[in-house]
Each structure stands twice: as structure tokens, then as C-alpha cells.
């Protein structure tokens, strides 16, 4: 019995759609109920969120194309300004169901977009059915003008047309909501694929020369190795295609049959260990990786691949470590002289305390409060840094990586104190 049922669409189309979107039947069924029939007014805006490679973009592409619903699909990363975004929507709308392609539609303001959109919908005779505008990577809208996101959320009201805007994003709606308020969209969550879902999806792409059971056994081995470190469907598809030829070598040479899983596993194990070191990196091409597999050498060693001792840290983490180093090796009384532009006159004196005659590097790092770390950070970074959750999350990451260690609380007002444990050579390395 088919899982997708809707009276407005043919059963054959729904059956085809169900075969194209495995393990996403519940989300597609909910979307169909939200869409309703072609002539019905749908919700003004729908917000779909989930982690990377959870099927958001693919499901929307497949759903709209299979059911032949009028739509435009725009990636907000490619069209990163409001003008480019609005013009691209109008270009795709005017090119819809037309052989003659429109190259450019000037649109400077949101008022122009509303006017041109209404004209294009009327010319294409789309006012009697719902038109869908899908904005992929919609988190980029937060970087545009303040009126763009609220306008898209109530575009149906502004244009007085049957239009639904669908936002696809990897972050939750709470990070989108403007401070001035806006029309709340219908939210839909795409959960991550489970290991059973990944097994089912990856097993569908088996080569025609081999049986489905043989390829399913290979996918089971692949997931057993990589599932704990990688659950990205796209990355797993790349790994499956890259290593399958090596898995089949004993069968091709006649040394084993398709059911001899033990011998096949012993042949593929060292190569999967190599691939484990390159998950997500893409440091070499697929052809280079295949040549590397043919080289004789240690199974766990990669020649020039992922052997870097340098690890690139996030932008502000570098400055946080530098600020922590300065705070832990310099006395508090020197902060005004080092980090303030107008610090006044400096009196020269030969008076030094006994413990100050010893080098601070020999005495080791001193604990410092979080407020002092942030103050030094603001002074050494050129641009203005807001104390956002991103900054504090990077501090937490440095603590978890043991580059900074918490040594306790002084009191409730002072907050947590940190001890810097990075060396001067490490600071010099990341400062490059």
C-alpha cells in the first residue's frame, strides 16, 4: 500500500514520488497536506530546517518537479544581495514555460519587485494556482536589508497573489526571527537519517553488474566503519563510490565469490582506514586517490595526505588564544599601557618587586578572569567584535580542546578564571 495519498494528484505520480524520496515519506505527506490542491490558497510561508545532507533541497526539487507545480528555486549563497536575489526570482518566473529566455530584469527596490511579480504572474496565467518560491540556504537573508525577510514571509499579502515562499535552512527559526516581529511561517523539521535509512538509500545505487545483496553487504561494511565519524549522506555516497572497485578486486580476480565476506573485508580494511583520514577533506581527486590505493606501502600511512601538523582554527579562536597568552603572562597593571591608546605619561622607575625580577615565562601562566580576556580581545582585533554566542562557543571549544583550562571561580561577580596552557611557538604558528 502506498504511503503517499492525496486526492488532488494522480496515484501514479505519487507512487513515482515515493520511489524517488525514500525515508522521507512522512515529511512529503505533510508537505502535500500543507500545499493542498493547486487552486487552493496555501500558507504564505513555510520554514524547513535540518542538518546538512538531510534531504531538504532534494525533496523540494523532486516534489515540485514530479508534481509539475509552478515554482522558482534560488540559492541565496549564489545571489547574495537583495537586488540579485529579487532579479533572479523575476528572471526564472518570466522564463517559466517559455522557450525564449530572459537575460536580465532590472529590479532596484522591493516595491518594483512586487509590481513586476504581479505582472509576470498575470502574463503567465498563474494566478489560478499556487506559485512556489523556494529559497535555499535562507540563512543568508539575515545578512541582507532588514525588510527582505519580513517581505518574503508576507509576500502573499503584499502581492495579493496565490504565492507560497519556502525557506530552506540548516538553523532553527529562532535565529531568524526579527526583533520587530514578523508573520510566523509554518515550520517543518527534517531529522537526520538513521543508520537504517542510510543503508536503504545507499543500497539503491548498486551497479548493474553486481547483485543488490552483494552491494548491500558492502554498504553495511562501509557504515560499520564510518557511521560513528560521518553521517553525511553526500560524503558517504562519495566514499561508497570511491572504494567499491577495491572491494570487488577479489571477486574480479576469482579469489573469492560474492558471499565470501571475510575475505572481502580483509581486502578492503586497510583502504577504508586510509579513507578514514580523509573524510570531508577532499585534498586529492578521485583519480589520485585510486592511484594512491595501488601504491605499495604501509596501510595506515598516506604520502603527503592529511599529514599536516598545522590545523586551521576559526578566525576568532586565533585571537582568543593570543589574548589568553597575553593575559596569562602579563601583569594586570600593564594592560592600560599595552592596550590603551591614551594611557598618559609613563614614569620611569628602577623599582621592581623581588618576584618580578624572574621572567614570567619561567614562573608559568597566571589565571585571569573572563572579562579581562574579552577586553584584550576587543583591543587586538581590528574590527568591532560583538560578544555573541559564537565567541563564547569558541572559548568553550578551546577549553574542551585543553588549549585553555578552567581553574575555578574567584567569586560570583568575577566569573570563571582561565589558565593559558599554550606555548609561545604555538602562538607564533597560529599568528601567521
Amino acid at each position: 500500500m502506498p504511503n503517499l495519498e492525496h486526492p488532488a494528484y494522480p496515484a501514479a505520480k505519487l507512487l513515482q514520488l515515493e520511489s524517488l524520496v525514500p525515508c522521507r515519506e512522512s515529511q512529503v505527506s505533510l508537505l502535500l497536506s500543507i500545499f493542498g490542491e493547486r487552486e487552493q490558497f496555501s500558507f504564505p510561508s513555510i520554514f524547513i530546517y535540518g542538518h546538512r545532507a538531510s534531504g531538504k533541497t532534494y525533496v523540494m526539487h523532486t516534489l515540485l518537479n514530479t508534481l509539475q507545480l509552478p515554482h522558482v528555486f534560488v540559492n541565496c549563497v549564489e545571489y547574495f544581495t537583495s537586488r540579485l536575489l529579487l532579479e533572479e526570482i523575476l528572471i526564472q518566473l518570466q522564463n517559466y514555460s517559455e522557450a525564449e529566455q530572459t537575460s536580465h530584469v532590472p529590479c532596484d527596490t522591493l516595491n518594483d519587485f512586487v509590481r513586476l511579480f504581479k505582472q509576470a504572474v498575470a502574463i503567465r496565467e498563474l494566478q489560478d494556482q499556487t506559485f512556489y518560491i523556494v529559497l535555499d540556504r535562507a540563512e543568508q537573508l539575515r545578512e541582507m536589508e532588514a525588510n527582505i525577510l519580513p517581505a518574503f514571509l508576507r509576500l502573499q499579502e503584499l502581492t495579493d497573489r496565490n504565492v507560497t515562499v519556502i525557506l530552506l535552512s540548516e538553523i532553527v527559526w529562532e535565529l531568524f526571527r526579527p526583533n520587530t516581529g514578523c508573520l510566523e511561517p509554518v515550520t517543518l523539521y527534517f531529522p537526520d537519517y538513521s543508520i537504517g535509512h542510510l543503508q536503504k538509500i545507499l543500497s539503491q545505487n548498486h551497479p548493474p553488474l553486481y547483485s543488490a545483496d552483494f552491494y548491500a553487504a558492502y554498504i553495511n561494511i562501509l557504515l560499520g566503519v564510518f557511521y560513528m565519524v560521518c553521517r553525511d549522506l553526500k560524503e558517504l555516497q562519495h566514499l561508497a563510490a570511491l572504494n567499491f572497485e577495491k572491494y570487488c578486486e577479489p571477486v574480479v580476480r576469482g579469489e573469492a565469490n560474492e558471499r565470501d565476506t571475510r575475505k572481502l573485508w580483509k581486502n578492503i580494511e586497510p583502504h577504508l582506514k586510509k579513507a578514514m583520514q580523509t573524510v570531508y577533506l577532499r585534498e586529492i581527486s578521485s583519480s589520485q586517490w585510486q592511484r594512491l590505493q595501488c601504491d605499495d606501502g604501509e596501510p595506515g600511512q598516506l604520502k603527503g595526505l592529511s599529514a599536516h601538523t598545522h590545523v586551521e582554527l576559526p578566525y576568532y579562536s586565533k585571537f582568543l588564544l593570543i589574548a589568553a597568552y597575553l593575559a596569562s603572562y602579563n601583569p594586570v597593571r600593564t594592560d592600560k599601557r599595552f592596550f590603551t591608546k591614551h594611557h598618559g605619561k609613563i614614569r620611569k622607575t628602577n623599582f621592581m618587586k623581588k618576584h618580578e625580577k624572574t621572567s614570567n615565562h619561567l614562573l608559568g601562566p597566571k589565571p585571569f578572569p573572563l572579562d579581562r580576556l574579552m577586553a584584550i580581545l576587543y583591543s587586538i582585533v581590528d574590527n568591532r567584535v560583538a560578544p555573541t554566542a559564537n565567541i563564547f562557543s569558541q572559548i568553550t571549544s578551546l577549553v574542551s580542546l585543553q588549549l585553555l583550562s578552567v581553574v575555578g571561580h574567584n567569586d560570583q561577580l568575577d566569573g570563571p578564571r582561565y589558565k593559558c596552557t599554550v606555548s609561545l611557538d604555538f602562538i607564533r604558528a597560529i599568528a601567521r
Side-chain angles (χ1 to χ4, degrees), residues 43-112:
F43 283 90
S45 55
I46 303 173
F47 181 79
I48 301 175
Y49 68 102
H51 289 154
R52 184 178 179 269
S54 56
K56 305 180 297 295
T57 304
Y58 172 75
V59 167
M60 288 309 306
H61 261 301
T62 307
L63 173 62
L64 296 173
N65 290 328
T66 303
L67 300 181
Q68 297 179 350
L69 300 175
H71 68 279
V72 297
F73 215 104
V74 182
N75 191 320
C76 296
V77 174
E78 298 179 13
Y79 304 95
F80 50 90
T81 66
S82 58
R83 178 174 180 176
L84 291 175
L85 179 63
L86 298 177
E87 289 180 352
E88 178 62 20
I89 294 174
L90 292 174
I91 290 172
Q92 292 192 28
L93 175 57
Q94 294 193 7
N95 293 338
Y96 183 77
S97 68
E98 269 194 4
E100 197 172 316
Q101 300 294 313
T102 304
S103 59
H104 180 66
V105 178
C107 179
D108 297 326
T109 64
L110 194 58
N111 289 334
D112 293 339

Side-chain angles (χ1 to χ4, degrees), residues 314-320 377 381 383-385 390-391 394:
Y315 178 75
Y316 287 116
S317 292
K318 298 179 182 181
F319 290 99
L320 282 168
L377 173 68
V381 178
N383 53 346
R384 297 184 61 184
V385 183
N390 183 28
I391 299 295
Q394 293 189 37

Side-chain angles (χ1 to χ4, degrees), residues 314-365:
Y315 178 75
Y316 287 116
S317 292
K318 298 179 182 181
F319 290 99
L320 282 168
L321 282 176
I322 295 173
Y325 181 83
L326 296 174
S328 58
Y329 283 104
N330 291 322
V332 179
R333 60 183 177 81
T334 61
D335 289 352
K336 183 178 180 181
R337 182 176 62 180
F338 290 156
F339 307 115
T340 306
K341 292 183 179 180
H342 307 288
H343 50 71
K345 295 182 179 180
I346 301 175
R347 295 183 179 180
K348 295 183 179 180
T349 176
N350 294 325
F351 174 77
M352 291 181 66
K353 295 181 181 179
K354 184 176 180 180
H355 69 276
E356 289 181 348
K357 294 181 181 180
T358 307
S359 173
N360 287 331
H361 291 88
L362 297 178
L363 295 174

